């Protein structure tokens, strides 16, 4: 696959040994304007319904755990209709699976046998599961303070779990040290095949809404892989003439750790690191600076969206409220629902909004006084 650097814009054939460009930028799939709806395999209820659109000749017989085609559920929030995209229906309970399934299939197809990843939990669990399915050996570096449920999930699949003391960024540092010694970095932050898999999120929404785009997409953001996938996926639909405009993209973060919001409000082209002084309940979003920081800001501005924050109290309230609606999402997902009142104030009263709920509540359950 041809890839392009998100910083210097040089392109090349992707080599998994070189996980990023020499300039330090991240690879992303080289833009394609083609999208033939007739090529969708309508009888396939996984992301491989888009196999012809993904255009990965190396993958002949995909290994699948069934990622993709997650439910889009109509609900009511503050007396207005909202559509919740239940990404936690994925095989390991998080949205990471749609990117990991494509990424691991490619790595297995080109002969990789051992991979390295850093994660606060969900990405590590996803890679561990797909490594087990495909026969890869996975080494996962995670903060020792991560959710015990997520750490247990990583181990039960047979991956080698390295618990790293300190902040989330220390796990990244440890993983990069392992990569420097010769490991293949199967990073959800850097890998272009992972990002390609995340584009299927946009295509599913387009299909599930009757082949149209929503007015807005509300997404919890840490590294921003799902937001980037949504942007690139809807951009491809736009260039193919299948939608008339991009949905407004809203990146949601907790107030305790919101580097995207700060950069967006300041009108910056890049994001500065943010060192938190307190830990948020939304542990899955604890990224001090996203790898694709410039492109995230570009996506928000080109889509006429924005970056919003929510308090810990608002996260708890949304978490409880979703549960009372029968939707058990982890706190890192509840941030998106918590931001809905703010998003509504920025849009027409009849706007069609899709909100991504990215991880299962079983991953990191909390118990508030109201429960």
């Amino acid at each position: 696959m041809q890839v392009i650097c998100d910083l210097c814009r040089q392109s090349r054939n992707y080599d998994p040994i070189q996980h990023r460009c020499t300039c330090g930028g991240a690879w992303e799939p080289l833009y394609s304007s083609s999208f033939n709806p007739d090529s969708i395999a309508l009888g396939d209820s996984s992301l491989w319904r888009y196999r012809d659109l993904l255009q990965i000749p190396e993958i002949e017989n995909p290994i699948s755990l069934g990622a993709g085609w997650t439910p889009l559920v109509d609900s009511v929030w503050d007396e207005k209709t909202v559509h919740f995209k239940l990404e936690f229906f994925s095989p390991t309970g998080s949205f990471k699976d749609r990117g990991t399934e494509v990424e691991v299939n490619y790595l297995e197809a080109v002969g990789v046998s051992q991979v390295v990843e850093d994660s606060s939990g969900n990405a590590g669990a996803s890679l561990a599961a797909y490594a087990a399915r495909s026969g890869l050996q996975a080494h996962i570096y995670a903060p020792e303070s991560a959710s015990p449920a997520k750490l247990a999930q990583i181990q039960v699949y047979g991956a080698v779990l390295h618990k790293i003391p300190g902040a989330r960024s220390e796990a990244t540092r440890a993983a990069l040290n392992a990569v420097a010694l010769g490991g293949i970095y199967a990073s959800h932050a850097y890998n272009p095949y992972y990002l390609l898999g995340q584009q299927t999120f946009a295509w599913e929404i387009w299909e599930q809404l009757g082949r149209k785009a929503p007015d807005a997409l509300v997404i919890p953001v840490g590294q921003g892989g799902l937001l980037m996938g949504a942007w690139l996926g809807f951009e491809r639909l736009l260039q193919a003439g299948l939608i008339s405009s991009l949905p407004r993209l809203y990146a949601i973060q907790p107030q305790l750790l919101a580097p995207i919001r700060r950069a967006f409000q300041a009108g910056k082209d890049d994001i500065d690191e943010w060192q938190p002084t307190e830990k948020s309940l939304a542990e899955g979003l604890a990224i001090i600076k996203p790898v694709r920081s410039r492109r995230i800001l570009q996506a928000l501005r080109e889509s006429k969206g924005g970056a919003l924050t929510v308090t810990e109290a608002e996260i708890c309230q949304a978490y409880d409220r979703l549960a009372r609606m029968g939707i058990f999402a982890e706190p890192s997902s509840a941030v998106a629902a918590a931001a809905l009142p703010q998003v509504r104030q920025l849009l027409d009263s009849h706007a069609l909004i899709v909100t991504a709920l990215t991880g299962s509540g079983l991953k990191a359950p909390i118990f508030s006084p109201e429960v």
Side-chain angles (χ1 to χ4, degrees), residues 31 36 134 159 200 224 242 258 275 284:
Y31 179 75
N36 180 5
S134 62
T200 63
L242 295 170
Q275 295 295 340

Side-chain angles (χ1 to χ4, degrees), residues 253-325:
Q253 296 188 295
Q255 281 187 3
L256 292 178
L257 183 55
I260 297 172
R261 165 74 167 181
R262 182 167 61 184
F264 184 84
Q265 280 192 314
K268 293 186 175 183
D269 294 327
D270 201 356
I271 296 170
D272 296 325
E273 286 190 3
W274 174 311
Q275 295 295 340
T277 57
E278 297 180 59
K279 184 178 178 180
S280 173
L281 289 167
E283 63 173 13
L285 309 182
I287 301 298
I288 61 176
K289 179 180 178 176
V291 164
R292 302 178 188 274
S293 55
R294 288 179 174 269
R295 293 288 273 169
I296 288 171
L297 293 172
Q298 182 184 350
L300 297 179
R301 292 182 175 125
E302 288 191 0
S303 70
K304 299 180 172 61
L308 303 169
T309 63
V310 292
T311 67
E312 297 302 292
E314 288 172 327
I315 295 170
C316 284
Q317 183 182 36
Y319 172 88
D320 290 343
R321 191 170 170 185
L322 286 167
R324 299 305 172 89
M325 296 165 60

Side-chain angles (χ1 to χ4, degrees), residues 85-89 92-96 119-125 146-151 153 220 279-286 310 314-323 327-338 355-367:
K85 181 70 166 158
L86 306 186
E87 287 293 278
F88 60 78
F89 270 66
T92 73
S94 91
F95 79 97
K96 297 292 199 309
S119 167
S120 61
N122 284 338
S147 164
K150 293 178 182 179
L151 297 179
Q153 188 181 13
K279 184 178 178 180
S280 173
L281 289 167
E283 63 173 13
L285 309 182
V310 292
E314 288 172 327
I315 295 170
C316 284
Q317 183 182 36
Y319 172 88
D320 290 343
R321 191 170 170 185
L322 286 167
I327 299 174
F328 192 26
E330 69 172 311
S332 296
S333 296
V335 299
T355 302
L357 299 180
T358 51
S360 168
L362 295 172
K363 297 269 194 172
I366 61 173
F367 301 94

Side-chain angles (χ1 to χ4, degrees), residues 62-360:
I63 299 162
S64 180
L65 287 171
W69 206 248
T70 55
L72 186 67
V73 176
D74 295 353
S75 195
V76 175
W77 198 271
D78 294 335
E79 301 182 348
K80 293 186 180 295
T81 299
V82 65
H83 304 266
F84 289 119
K85 181 70 166 158
L86 306 186
E87 287 293 278
F88 60 78
F89 270 66
S90 301
T92 73
S94 91
F95 79 97
K96 297 292 199 309
D97 290 340
R98 66 171 70 243
T100 305
E101 186 158 315
V102 174
E103 175 189 28
V104 167
N105 266 283
Y106 167 77
L107 293 173
E108 191 273 339
V110 297
V112 171
S113 60
Q114 184 168 294
V115 290
V116 174
E117 169 70 301
D118 60 283
S119 167
S120 61
N122 284 338
S126 182
L127 182 61
Y130 280 95
R133 184 72 168 181
S134 62
L136 302 183
Q137 175 66 65
H139 287 260
I140 310 297
Y141 294 79
E144 64 179 6
S145 61
S147 164
K150 293 178 182 179
L151 297 179
Q153 188 181 13
I154 291 169
Q155 288 182 294
V156 78
Y157 292 126
V160 179
L161 174 63
H162 305 265
K163 297 181 184 179
I164 307 301
R168 167 67 177 83
S169 56
E170 293 303 314
T172 300
R173 193 188 314 276
L176 288 174
N177 288 339
V179 171
L181 295 174
I184 296 295
Y185 197 20
S187 169
H188 65 288
Y190 280 102
N191 191 279
Y193 283 89
Y194 175 89
L195 193 58
L196 181 62
Q198 293 296 353
Q199 292 185 40
T200 63
F201 172 75
W203 304 339
E204 285 180 18
I205 292 171
W206 173 74
E207 281 199 86
Q208 290 170 327
L209 290 177
R211 297 197 168 187
K212 66 179 182 180
D215 296 306
L217 262 174
V218 184
I219 302 175
V221 174
Q223 279 290 3
L226 189 60
L227 184 139
M228 283 291 300
W231 179 44
L232 296 174
F234 277 111
E235 181 68 32
R236 192 162 163 186
L237 290 169
L238 180 66
Q239 294 302 316
L242 295 170
I243 57 176
S244 59
S245 62
L246 293 173
R248 295 176 186 265
L249 299 175
Y250 290 95
I252 317 300
Q253 296 188 295
Q255 281 187 3
L256 292 178
L257 183 55
I260 297 172
R261 165 74 167 181
R262 182 167 61 184
F264 184 84
Q265 280 192 314
K268 293 186 175 183
D269 294 327
D270 201 356
I271 296 170
D272 296 325
E273 286 190 3
W274 174 311
Q275 295 295 340
T277 57
E278 297 180 59
K279 184 178 178 180
S280 173
L281 289 167
E283 63 173 13
L285 309 182
I287 301 298
I288 61 176
K289 179 180 178 176
V291 164
R292 302 178 188 274
S293 55
R294 288 179 174 269
R295 293 288 273 169
I296 288 171
L297 293 172
Q298 182 184 350
L300 297 179
R301 292 182 175 125
E302 288 191 0
S303 70
K304 299 180 172 61
L308 303 169
T309 63
V310 292
T311 67
E312 297 302 292
E314 288 172 327
I315 295 170
C316 284
Q317 183 182 36
Y319 172 88
D320 290 343
R321 191 170 170 185
L322 286 167
R324 299 305 172 89
M325 296 165 60
I327 299 174
F328 192 26
E330 69 172 311
S332 296
S333 296
V335 299
L340 282 171
Q342 296 181 63
V343 173
R344 285 287 185 194
Q345 292 178 2
L346 300 171
L347 301 172
D348 180 271
S349 60
H350 300 292
L352 194 164
I353 300 174
V354 172
T355 302
L357 299 180
T358 51
S360 168

Side-chain angles (χ1 to χ4, degrees), residues 5-83:
C5 173
D6 70 348
L7 291 183
C8 71
R9 309 309 288 171
Q10 74 161 301
S11 62
R12 55 167 291 172
N13 286 320
Y14 180 64
D15 180 351
I17 295 175
Q18 187 179 352
H19 73 270
R20 63 182 178 183
C21 179
T22 53
C23 78
W27 301 117
E28 62 184 58
L30 192 62
Y31 179 75
S32 172
S33 60
S34 65
F35 191 102
N36 180 5
D38 294 336
S39 69
I40 298 173
L42 299 178
D44 190 337
S45 59
S46 76
L47 62 82
W48 297 105
R49 67 193 286 112
Y50 307 114
R51 181 175 177 180
D52 290 346
L53 296 166
L54 291 170
Q55 299 173 339
I56 312 174
E58 296 91 345
I59 301 174
E60 296 181 1
N61 298 299
I63 299 162
S64 180
L65 287 171
W69 206 248
T70 55
L72 186 67
V73 176
D74 295 353
S75 195
V76 175
W77 198 271
D78 294 335
E79 301 182 348
K80 293 186 180 295
T81 299
V82 65
H83 304 266

